[in-house]
Every structure is written in structure tokens, then in C-alpha cells.
């Protein structure tokens, strides 16, 4: 599963991305309005769910002993909850009979401790319910439940709509607290192409759809002195009061199974020097960093000794960001849903220092839908158990999902631009749209990392 090689960049004027207030509260619930589907809400088998007039309808049985014997909730993706943060849970609810029911915001693991545990009464009149509370859990494995059983009386129908769980804390504690939105790289390959090709018929389309959107900059051997390169990029973003996204891509033996993006530092010691300088150059300035795409998934062509050496290097990298870049959220790459089983990946992440950093990344330079990626990330977190972490998803080219090909496949499309939430902690453009995966697919003859306006237009149109 090879990845891109980023091209060298030129120092050109800044271009900024206007985003909504970065300090706005963050919605944690997926599909709380039930316009057409119950996904991703779940229920016990005796309490079937359906959509009824734009509301969630739960058919509740009679004769259950406990409230949790008939219940439904939302945990996909698992909710990330934090201690000492302000949250507000709200919804509209009614029922065919007067019933006292229970809602919780809790850990999705035995013994299911709750940070909110609230009884409320419903009847035939739709009413609005709302509670603001302070979080007592620190977990990436949370859930919201509605527990409808264990009551005197027969079966009844329960309706709910407009379910919202909001993290009221400014910026949700992210590096966005220190900035005013995501940074648009003014020197990305598509931005440079747009500036240099003002007369091309494709320029306006590429500028509007790609070049003016936030995306990551990749750093590797092509970057020259890494301290200077990272420091310059971070400094420009900091001066603009924006949050930059960086990808560290220089692990020795990169793309070990013979793909288009081979390379990396010449030795383990050289890599450690390089990644230490990378983290030092960021310092206390806010940033998001993706650590070594593919490095934990691409083990098939490596022997035990090589794997141990790689793990040692990645562990060292996580410690560098932990120790030297306190306002950086670093994510260790976890491949994609079609590559390594979630349980296996969880073990690899743990061994490589996941505990030292913010979380992990999924789908870098690939095409799996956000829902597939979220399901995979949730499965990884289930295997991680109490060590579960937040994750981010690369949505740069996943608008049409995957067709099973990885190298410049036809028919792919741009995905949702950078945002907080959206099913993961963040959705990010990590692969630069329009940059070739290599001499393959509809990018035949275009080297890895080279921008192609034709590839860019294919992604814009989904053709």
C-alpha cells in the first residue's frame, strides 16, 4: 500500500482559510435527527428501532426486570469523553404511556460507570429535556444509552428526536484552542500549480475545490534540513493564527514491499536524529502531526529483527513529540480497514508507543468511506480496551469509497474537507488531492508525489 512522496515546495505568500469559530462547542452525537435512518444507533434485540416521521421509534416490550433489559443507544463511533469538561445532553421525547425512564452517558465497558445518570418521565406530549453536567470519565470508549425497561405496565412505544451531546469546552481542549482554524498550505502542490497556470481552463475549478482547502504537508528526505523546513512551515501557520497539519514520512525501509514510495532515512540513528529535530522545531506551537503512514501496517516483507528495529524508532518518535512538542496532537498511523485486522493493529499501536501521544490515524492516502474508517477505528479501540485513543480519518479522496485498487484508481472523489468531529476526532485531508500515487492507474507516467491537474479534476468530478 504505497503512499505519496511530497514534492519540494517554494516560499510564496500566505493564503488563509476562513473557518467558523474554532472555539465553538463540539457535537458528539452522530445522526441525532433521524431524518431517514437509525444508523449508527443500536438497541437490544427486544426493542426494535425504526424511523417514524423523522423521529426514532422504539417498540418497548413489557415484563422486563431491569431498565437496561430494554434499551438503545449510540456508541459508533465511540464517544470521546474527558474529565472536568462541561457537557450538555438534550433531546425531545414522548411515549404512548406515562413512563419513568433512564438516560446515561457512560463508559462502554463493564461495570459501565456513568458520568451522567438521569431519570426522566415521558408521556403522550412531546417534551424537551436537557441537562448540563461536568465529565468524570477520561475515555475514547463512551456511549449514550436510553434504558426503557424494568417498569410496571405493559409494552409501549417511545419516540425521541433531536438528540444532542455537546462538549461545551472551548475548542474541546485541542490545539485549535490556540488558533483560529485549520491552516491552508499556500505552497501545496495544487496551490503552486494554480498560481503558475492562471490561463488553464482547469485552474478556477482546482483552486476552488482543492487549493484553497486545508491539507497536510509531508516532510521527508526531500525537505532538506528538517528543523529549518518544519520551523518555517510551523512559523508561517503560527503567524497566521492557524493550525497546521504535518506528516512525518522518513522511516528507514519505507514501503518495504516494493511499492512506489520507497526510501527513508539511511539508518535508525539517522532517523532518530531527524525526528528529534522535527519535534524540536515545532516546540510549543500548536500542530497536528501524523507519524509515519504505513509503518505499522507494512510488516509483510519484514523479518522479526527489522520489525523490532522499526518499533524502536517509532516508539522513540512518540516520545519526542510527547516531550518536546506539548501543544502537538500526534497520531500514529494505523493503516486502513482493508489491510490489518483491528486486533492485530491494536497490538502494534500499543507496542509502538500509542500511550505517549494523542491517538491514531486511519485511511491515509486511501479511499475507504468515513463510515468504514470509523467502524475500523472503533474496532481497534475495542481491542485496546482501557487504552483506547481518539483517531482521525483521511477524507481527501474517499468521497466515492474504494473500488479495491490503491494506486490512482479511476472513479474516486474528494471527501469532506478538514473539520472537527464528523465521526472521528477530526476529518483531515492528509493525502494532497491531485498528487500521484505513482506510475500506475489513471496516473500512468506520473511519478509519486507529482501534482497532476488531470488527477485533480478526476477527484473533483468523481469521474
Amino acid at each position: 500500500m504505497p503512499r505519496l512522496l511530497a514534492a519540494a515546495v517554494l516560499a510564496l505568500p500566505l493564503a488563509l482559510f476562513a473557518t467558523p469559530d474554532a472555539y465553538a462547542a463540539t457535537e458528539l452525537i452522530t445522526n441525532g435527527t433521524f431524518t431517514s435512518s437509525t444508523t449508527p444507533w443500536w438497541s437490544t434485540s427486544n426493542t426494535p428501532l425504526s424511523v417514524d416521521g423523522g423521529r426514532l421509534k422504539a417498540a418497548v416490550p413489557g415484563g422486563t426486570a431491569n431498565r437496561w433489559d430494554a434499551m438503545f443507544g449510540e456508541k459508533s463511533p465511540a464517544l470521546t469523553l474527558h474529565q472536568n469538561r462541561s457537557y450538555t445532553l438534550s433531546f425531545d421525547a414522548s411515549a404512548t404511556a406515562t413512563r419513568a425512564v433512564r438516560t446515561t452517558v457512560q463508559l462502554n465497558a463493564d461495570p459501565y460507570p456513568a458520568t451522567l445518570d438521569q431519570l426522566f418521565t415521558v408521556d403522550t406530549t412531546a417534551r424537551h429535556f436537557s441537562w448540563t453536567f461536568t465529565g468524570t470519565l477520561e475515555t475514547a470508549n463512551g456511549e449514550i444509552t436510553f434504558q426503557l425497561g424494568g417498569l410496571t405496565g405493559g409494552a409501549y412505544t417511545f419516540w425521541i428526536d433531536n438528540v444532542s451531546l455537546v462538549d461545551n469546552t472551548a475548542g474541546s481542549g485541542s490545539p485549535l484552542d490556540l488558533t483560529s482554524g485549520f491552516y491552508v498550505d499556500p505552497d501545496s502542490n495544487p496551490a503552486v500549480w494554480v498560481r503558475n497556470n492562471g490561463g488553464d481552463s482547469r485552474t478556477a475549478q482546482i483552486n476552488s475545490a482543492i487549493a484553497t482547502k486545508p491539507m497536510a504537508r509531508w516532510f521527508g528526505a526531500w525537505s532538506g534540513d528538517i528543523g529549518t523546513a518544519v520551523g518555517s512551515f510551523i512559523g508561517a501557520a503560527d503567524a497566521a493564527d492557524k493550525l497546521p497539519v504535518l506528516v512525518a514520512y522518513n522511516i528507514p525501509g519505507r514501503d518495504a514491499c516494493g511499492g512506489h514510495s520507497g526510501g527513508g532515512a539511511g539508518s535508525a540513528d539517522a532517523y532518530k536524529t531527524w525526528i528529534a529535530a522535527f519535534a524540536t522545531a515545532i516546540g510549543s506551537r500548536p500542530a497536528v502531526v501524523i507519524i509515519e503512514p504505513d509503518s505499522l501496517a507494512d510488516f509483510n516483507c519484514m523479518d522479526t529483527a527489522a520489525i523490532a528495529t522499526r518499533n524502536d524508532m517509532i516508539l522513540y518518535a512518540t516520545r519526542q513529540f510527547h516531550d518536546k512538542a506539548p501543544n502537538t496532537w500526534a497520531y500514529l498511523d494505523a493503516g486502513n480497514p482493508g489491510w490489518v485486522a483491528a486486533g492485530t493493529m491494536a497490538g502494534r499501536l500499543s507496542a509502538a508507543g500509542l500511550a505517549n501521544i494523542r491517538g491514531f490515524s486511519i485511511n491515509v492516502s486511501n479511499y475507504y468511506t468515513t463510515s468504514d474508517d470509523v467502524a475500523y477505528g472503533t474496532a481497534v479501540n475495542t481491542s485496546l480496551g482501557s487504552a483506547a485513543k481518539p483517531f482521525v480519518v483521511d477524507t481527501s479522496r474517499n468521497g466515492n469509497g474504494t473500488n479495491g485498487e490503491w494506486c490512482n484508481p479511476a472513479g474516486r472523489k474528494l471527501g469532506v474537507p478538514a473539520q472537527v468531529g464528523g465521526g472521528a476526532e477530526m476529518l483531515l485531508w492528509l493525502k494532497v488531492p491531485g498528487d500521484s500515487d505513482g506510475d500506475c492507474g489513471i496516473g500512468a507516467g506520473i511519478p509519486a508525489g507529482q501534482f497532476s491537474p488531470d488527477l485533480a479534476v478526476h477527484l473533483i468530478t468523481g469521474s
Side-chain angles (χ1 to χ4, degrees), residues 72-436:
F72 68 90
E74 201 267 292
K75 61 182 179 184
S76 178
L79 302 179
T80 298
L81 303 171
H82 300 285
Q83 294 177 347
N84 301 317
R85 292 228 191 134
S86 171
Y87 295 91
T88 299
L89 173 66
S90 61
F91 53 87
D92 303 318
S94 61
T96 54
T98 300
R99 293 288 189 268
V101 297
R102 180 190 191 201
T103 184
T104 69
V105 178
Q106 63 184 39
L107 178 69
N108 179 32
D110 193 25
Y112 304 100
T115 189
L116 174 72
D117 188 336
Q118 187 71 47
L119 291 176
F120 62 100
T121 300
V122 290
D123 54 27
T124 56
T125 301
R127 304 180 192 280
H128 183 70
F129 298 87
S130 179
W131 299 275
T132 296
F133 60 97
T134 299
T136 57
L137 298 173
E138 187 70 33
T139 180
N141 193 27
E143 65 177 346
I144 179 174
T145 74
F146 292 89
Q147 302 180 14
L148 312 175
L151 303 171
T152 301
Y156 68 101
T157 301
F158 177 88
W159 287 278
I160 194 167
D161 197 9
N162 301 316
V163 184
S164 172
L165 178 61
V166 169
D167 183 340
N168 301 310
T169 306
S172 298
S174 80
L176 282 168
D177 280 350
L178 306 177
T179 64
S180 61
F182 291 105
Y183 182 55
V184 171
D185 183 358
D187 300 327
S188 69
N189 285 347
V192 171
W193 185 89
V194 164
R195 281 199 295 273
N196 292 339
N197 293 273
D200 193 291
S201 61
R202 300 162 293 186
T203 296
Q205 187 179 29
I206 293 172
N207 184 58
S208 175
I210 298 177
T212 53
K213 299 293 188 288
M215 65 190 74
R217 184 182 289 190
W218 292 57
F219 293 84
W222 60 86
S223 302
D225 180 82
I226 193 60
T228 300
V230 169
S232 176
F233 183 65
I234 290 288
D238 191 49
D241 192 32
K242 299 294 180 180
L243 177 65
V245 181
L246 303 83
V247 178
Y249 194 54
N250 199 33
I251 200 81
R254 188 179 63 222
D255 211 1
C257 294
H260 293 264
S261 297
S267 67
D269 287 344
Y271 178 75
K272 289 180 177 180
T273 298
W274 185 88
I275 201 69
F278 192 124
T280 299
I282 296 175
S284 62
R285 292 174 290 191
V288 170
V289 175
I290 309 302
I291 300 175
E292 300 300 339
D294 299 356
S295 58
L296 295 181
D298 192 26
F299 279 5
N300 291 346
C301 301
M302 300 173 65
D303 60 25
T304 301
I307 291 171
T309 299
R310 174 166 292 185
N311 276 343
D312 176 68
M313 288 185 286
I314 298 173
L315 179 61
Y316 181 85
T318 65
R319 289 170 175 161
Q320 293 303 300
F321 288 106
H322 178 274
D323 294 344
K324 297 178 178 178
N327 291 316
T328 290
W329 273 9
Y331 299 87
L332 189 52
D333 189 58
N336 62 65
W339 201 346
V340 177
T344 301
M345 180 52 68
R348 294 181 184 181
L349 289 166
S350 295
L354 180 64
N356 295 327
I357 56 173
R358 178 65 188 177
F360 56 97
S361 58
I362 299 170
N363 199 49
V364 176
S365 297
N366 219 291
Y367 306 90
Y368 287 86
T369 63
T370 301
S371 60
D372 286 342
D373 295 321
V374 167
Y376 180 69
T378 302
V380 170
N381 270 333
T382 297
S383 293
L384 287 168
S386 61
K389 288 279 192 172
F391 58 87
V392 298
V393 170
D394 184 358
T395 56
S396 59
R397 304 187 296 179
N398 74 347
N400 280 346
T402 179
N403 65 353
E405 300 177 16
W406 65 266
C407 197
N408 298 322
R412 303 311 95 203
K413 194 173 184 179
L414 296 173
V416 175
Q419 66 175 63
V420 174
E425 181 158 67
M426 290 182 282
L427 306 181
L428 301 170
W429 281 12
L430 299 176
K431 166 75 175 186
V432 176
D435 278 9
S436 175

